[in-house]
Amino acid sequence: MQENIGRIAPPGSTGIKIIVVGAGYAGLACAIECTRKGHDVVILERVQKLKVLGDILSLGPNAGRILARWGLHDRVWAVCGHHPCMNLHNHLGELVRVQKFEQPKFGAYSYNGHRAEIHRILYEHAEELGISIRMGEEVTEYWEDGRRGVSGVVLRGGERLEADMVVAADGVRSFARKFVLDYQDKPKPSGYAVYRAWFDAAEQGVDTDPLTRHMVTNGDVFYGWIGQDVHFLTTSNLGGKSISWVITHKDDTELLDTSSLPGKMEDVLKIVEGWDPRCAAILSKAPECVDWKLTVHDPLPTWVSKGRRIILIGDAAHPFLPTSIQGASQAIEDGVTLATVLQIAGKDNIPVALQAWEKIRYQRVRNAQLMGESTRDKWHQAKPEDKGEQLDLPMPEWLFAFDAEAHAYKVFDEVRKGIERDGYRLPSLA
Ligand SMILES: Cc1cc2nc3c(=O)[nH]c(=O)nc-3n(C[C@H](O)[C@H](O)[C@H](O)COP(=O)(O)OP(=O)(O)OC[C@H]3O[C@@H](n4cnc5c(N)ncnc54)[C@H](O)[C@@H]3O)c2cc1C
């Protein structure tokens, strides 16, 4: 099956009809790869039209490999910052590590750009492939019928849609989760929050302040500062045109209904009192910022519904902390793996394909999630005198050299045989 990697099947050739709920990174990536694999897809998205939401988003080479296969490298590269290294400092401003970034690494590129810009490229590519994207359609009900081997959704407004399966890519506050699990999974506070911002460098005078000028006079740069229970990362992007920053800090406030609020600059600046003055200088340039409470979810016991016709992918299945820098990459891997196992299994074997998909994805996703916690803890517990590569952002081969499509072709038969031999058990974690 290895020879199938990257090949595009004729449209509708597998006869598998799929409803994808949500046009975020997970939903779009899934729909794109499913179309490439010959499945027949419709996307349902609640919002009427795309909005510019969020700020910096990173994709690792494990996702970059997939974007390149889709022919999107040049388009995505053009909207991204290009940072040759990360200059990491302790809170007093002493340089403790310069981590060089190889591009490409393990044969593929990583990307750091505005969430909305990269998202728009994926959206337009889905349109180019002729995928039906129904904007302004909110799913209010999920259903499945094991006897007929179908599942579907009901839209606000009452329309009932049917397909061979439904992919719920409806994000961290997933409504589908309750249908799949039969209970309401509640997020828990992680004990941390981030303030984050993205703004135009020239408009905010970044080039005229001697404390911030270094951000925009040497091409794109990536600076970081670490202190007790805090880390602060900032980049300039597109040749110094825009600045993004994210500061992660302790936050024990109670969870509100919405986890993202406008941030107050005086609260942000309190975090870096007594720090290298470059921190307050760049932070205070932001005209506004977001206060984003970071939540954690216990790993869900399963991502597959009882009738094995509805699945959760992306943040709906496994929300990520920003320090993992893998949320969107794992969402993309989910979709590619799914499309591939469905192609191999065929229309008559969708339930076993979904079980195999879950087995293939479950432990890998968990390992990537845990990396977010370990990087945060490593930086937050570092002593001011700590230096060197122990402070690096991890770039493990198991994570970045991975090819989700090739892996699915390689292991699917073995995983399926295991399920048929032993019966399916809910995934467990090592
Ligand atoms: C507003 C926003 C800003 C973000 N900003 C950043 C950022 O700056 N940096 C970063 O690293 N990550 C950011 N993220 C997170 C990042 O996009 C995700 O972690 C990752 O890309 C996984 O995406 P996803 O597709 O699983 O979920 P999401 O990106 O959340 O997409 C879910 C989609 O499902 C739709 N949806 C939800 N419910 C329904 C329903 N009932 N019917 C139809 N459609 C529905 C939503 O409108 C949304 O478009 C942001 C997410 C959001 C939603």
Side-chain angles (χ1 to χ4, degrees):
M1 282 304 227
Q2 290 282 331
E3 70 276 11
N4 281 330
I5 293 166
R7 280 184 37 196
I8 305 182
S13 54
T14 63
I16 301 175
K17 284 198 159 80
I18 304 173
I19 294 170
V20 174
V21 181
Y25 278 74
L28 287 174
C30 178
I32 290 169
E33 190 64 24
C34 282
T35 302
R36 288 171 60 93
K37 292 276 182 279
H39 315 318
D40 184 1
V41 185
V42 60
I43 304 180
L44 306 170
E45 168 56 53
R46 174 169 63 186
V47 304
Q48 287 284 356
K49 54 181 189 172
L50 297 191
K51 293 186 200 149
V52 178
L53 290 171
D55 44 77
I56 191 101
L57 182 131
S58 302
L59 297 171
N62 49 320
R65 175 169 289 110
I66 294 163
L67 298 193
R69 204 165 278 159
W70 293 345
L72 300 182
H73 167 73
D74 290 349
R75 280 150 80 176
V76 177
W77 189 253
V79 299
C80 283
H82 305 300
H83 310 107
C85 61
M86 175 178 69
N87 300 289
L88 195 64
H89 307 79
N90 64 19
H91 72 288
L92 300 170
E94 291 158 356
L95 189 65
V96 290
R97 174 69 179 158
V98 178
Q99 179 178 5
K100 294 210 168 98
F101 299 128
E102 258 174 65
Q103 286 276 36
K105 178 137 180 113
F106 301 121
Y109 289 85
S110 50
Y111 306 98
N112 297 295
H114 197 289
R115 175 185 181 272
E117 291 274 347
I118 304 175
H119 183 248
R120 181 183 48 77
I121 293 168
L122 291 184
Y123 186 92
E124 287 170 0
H125 186 56
E127 285 185 321
E128 285 156 13
L129 291 176
I131 296 170
S132 162
I133 308 177
R134 293 179 55 178
M135 299 297 284
E137 300 283 18
E138 184 180 0
V139 169
T140 54
E141 202 181 314
Y142 289 82
W143 59 270
E144 58 189 343
D145 181 340
R147 197 179 43 82
R148 288 198 298 125
V150 290
S151 63
V153 297
V154 179
L155 302 178
R156 186 169 298 285
E159 189 183 349
R160 188 179 163 92
L161 300 176
E162 178 172 311
D164 296 306
M165 64 166 294
V166 177
V167 175
D170 57 348
V172 65
R173 290 172 182 278
S174 168
F175 164 71
R177 220 181 262 146
K178 182 152 190 302
F179 180 89
V180 170
L181 299 177
D182 234 355
Y183 65 84
Q184 191 68 53
D185 169 75
K186 285 249 165 73
K188 297 189 289 192
S190 68
Y192 290 91
V194 293
Y195 290 108
R196 47 197 309 163
W198 178 289
F199 53 95
D200 187 281
E203 274 173 20
Q204 302 306 319
V206 174
D207 53 339
T208 54
D209 180 343
L211 286 175
T212 56
R213 194 177 293 145
H214 64 281
M215 295 292 300
V216 291
T217 45
N218 299 311
D220 292 339
V221 295
F222 180 176
Y223 276 63
W225 284 263
I226 53 179
Q228 196 59 49
D229 253 333
V230 179
H231 70 275
F232 167 41
L233 303 176
T234 181
T235 60
S236 51
N237 308 292
L238 303 174
K241 192 174 160 298
S242 54
I243 302 287
S244 88
W245 56 246
V246 181
I247 181 160
T248 305
H249 62 103
K250 286 295 273 182
D251 186 323
D252 293 320
T253 49
E254 266 189 45
L255 277 184
L256 301 168
D257 252 5
T258 164
S259 57
S260 177
L261 306 158
K264 292 196 194 112
M265 189 49 72
E266 66 258 33
D267 295 338
V268 180
L269 294 179
K270 251 186 232 141
I271 302 171
V272 294
E273 263 169 18
W275 282 40
D276 180 351
R278 288 178 294 176
C279 298
I282 194 70
L283 286 164
S284 59
K285 293 283 182 295
E288 57 187 10
C289 70
V290 166
D291 176 3
W292 186 316
K293 310 293 181 204
L294 299 179
T295 55
V296 285
H297 292 250
D298 291 330
L300 303 184
T302 183
W303 305 335
V304 181
S305 66
K306 280 205 194 71
R308 295 167 200 164
R309 294 273 166 181
I310 299 182
I311 58 164
L312 305 170
I313 71 167
D315 279 4
H318 43 68
F320 270 76
L321 290 174
T323 28
S324 68
I325 322 183
Q326 273 287 314
S329 299
Q330 291 302 316
I332 292 172
E333 282 191 8
D334 279 350
V336 169
T337 305
L338 176 71
T340 309
V341 299
L342 286 171
Q343 185 196 40
I344 310 168
K347 187 174 158 87
D348 295 337
N349 298 301
I350 291 173
V352 76
L354 299 191
Q355 292 170 328
W357 166 80
E358 181 177 59
K359 255 190 182 308
I360 293 169
R361 297 293 303 145
Y362 201 76
Q363 182 71 51
R364 174 170 170 79
V365 166
R366 185 63 187 150
N367 293 346
Q369 275 180 322
L370 289 173
M371 234 180 58
E373 291 175 29
S374 57
T375 304
R376 179 197 66 203
D377 293 346
K378 170 172 86 174
W379 281 350
H380 287 202
Q381 289 157 18
K383 298 187 198 70
E385 61 275 19
D386 287 348
K387 284 193 167 58
E389 64 187 57
Q390 51 171 327
L391 298 172
D392 280 355
L393 275 170
M395 307 260 162
E397 189 168 352
W398 66 263
L399 185 61
F400 285 162
F402 190 76
D403 182 330
E405 186 186 6
H407 183 72
Y409 279 130
K410 184 167 159 214
V411 301
F412 176 73
D413 270 341
E414 191 192 323
V415 174
R416 173 170 59 185
K417 277 184 204 141
I419 293 169
E420 284 165 355
R421 187 185 58 235
D422 305 331
Y424 189 70
R425 295 191 199 99
L426 288 181
S428 57
L429 292 165

